[in-house]
Structures are given as structure tokens and as C-alpha cells.
Amino acid sequence: MENIRIGRKDATDEEVKAAARLAHCEEFVEKMPDKWDSMIGENGSELSGGERQRISIARAFLKDAPIILMDEATASLDVDNESLIQESISKLIRDKTVLIIAHRMRTVDGVNKIVVLKDGRVAESGTPAELREAGGIYRHMADMQLSSEQWKYQ
């Protein structure tokens, strides 16, 4: 409870739990020995990477800042959990300015503008559709990820 409350110190327990629900934290919190009063260790060491990310997203819901910076927000999640978190992120970023740092193309597919960096410089920019059409770095990354997602062991 207190770890999520870092997002807004004066939040009520109900507000913290509401933010946690939006970030899909309830399912793992309710399984913990002391539920909402569980100790999660230094830097969340008792949680998985995906659970730590959900806690961070819950904090962001609670804070409700007008500008959000997301750095690899879904990187530690398996495909099933990524879908849940993508749903949460979609709600979180509504009517906000968002900067997303990501290597997973699914994370940025619905954005207004993508800036692709290579060697510390802007290599290309545009909408996802424009960059797919251009056939550059973004297109290559998107195609590679699609291929890897469809790969099956024979």
C-alpha cells in the first residue's frame, strides 16, 4: 500500500487500491501473505520485474501528472501480462503528453509521432504508418518483432 502511495502521499487507501486495480496489481497483491501490508523488500526485491512495473504504473495513476515519461514500460512482462499492462497504459496516458522509450513496436504502435534514434541522432520520424511505409529502421524493427512473435519450434 505505502509503495504505491509514493505517487501521492495524501491518497486514501481506497484511492491507492483504485490505482492498483487500473494497473492490474490486485491479482498478485491479494496472493501475498499480508496482502496490502506485505513487505516487498528493498527496491521491490520480493516482486517480479513485471510486478514492479505494475506498481510503478499504479503510482503514475495515483499521481495523475500531465506529462508522463515511460522507459521500457512493458520490457519485463510476458506477452499475456503485456496485454493487460498495455490496456492500463492506454487509460493512464489519455489526455496527457507522453514520452515513450521502447524497443517493442507494439508499445508505440498507436502513438502520434515516433522518433527513431540511431547512434545518438534522429534517424527518422513520423507516424507509425508513415515509418512502416518508408521502409527504414522502424519498419525493419517491426518486421523482425512480428517474425519472432510468430516463430514456433518445429
Side-chain angles (χ1 to χ4, degrees):
M1 180 80 66
E2 295 308 314
N3 198 296
I4 295 172
R5 199 183 318 269
I6 290 170
R8 198 176 85 232
K9 301 281 190 203
D10 64 342
T12 66
D13 288 355
E14 292 73 29
E15 289 171 323
V16 171
K17 288 180 179 180
R21 268 191 300 281
L22 289 169
H24 298 281
C25 294
E26 273 190 322
E27 67 181 67
F28 69 84
V29 171
E30 290 297 327
K31 292 177 184 173
M32 298 174 82
D34 295 320
K35 299 191 182 345
W36 293 97
D37 294 321
S38 295
M39 300 300 288
I40 59 171
E42 188 171 337
N43 294 321
S45 62
E46 299 297 314
L47 302 174
S48 71
E51 290 167 344
R52 284 193 299 272
Q53 284 183 303
R54 291 183 200 192
I55 294 287
S56 295
I57 291 168
R59 280 190 213 128
F61 272 117
L62 201 56
K63 186 170 185 164
D64 195 29
I67 299 173
I68 298 172
L69 172 62
M70 302 181 104
D71 187 356
E72 298 293 353
T74 60
S76 295
L77 302 173
D78 58 44
V79 175
D80 293 333
N81 286 318
E82 181 183 359
S83 294
L84 291 173
I85 295 303
Q86 288 288 5
E87 174 191 322
S88 295
I89 289 171
S90 294
K91 292 175 186 172
L92 173 66
I93 65 175
R94 198 170 292 138
D95 300 323
K96 297 186 185 320
T97 299
V98 184
L99 299 171
I100 301 172
I101 300 166
H103 288 88
R104 288 187 181 182
M105 299 301 99
R106 181 176 174 195
T107 304
V108 297
D109 197 44
V111 303
N112 297 328
K113 183 175 184 179
I114 294 174
V115 177
V116 179
L117 302 177
K118 182 176 182 178
D119 300 325
R121 300 194 186 283
V122 174
E124 55 191 41
S125 67
T127 67
E130 290 168 346
L131 293 179
R132 278 192 296 273
E133 181 69 27
I137 296 168
Y138 176 84
R139 170 69 177 270
H140 175 73
M141 290 177 67
D143 288 349
M144 293 299 292
Q145 285 184 17
L146 182 61
S147 294
S148 69
E149 288 171 7
Q150 294 174 346
W151 183 86
K152 294 197 185 337
Y153 182 73
Q154 302 284 329

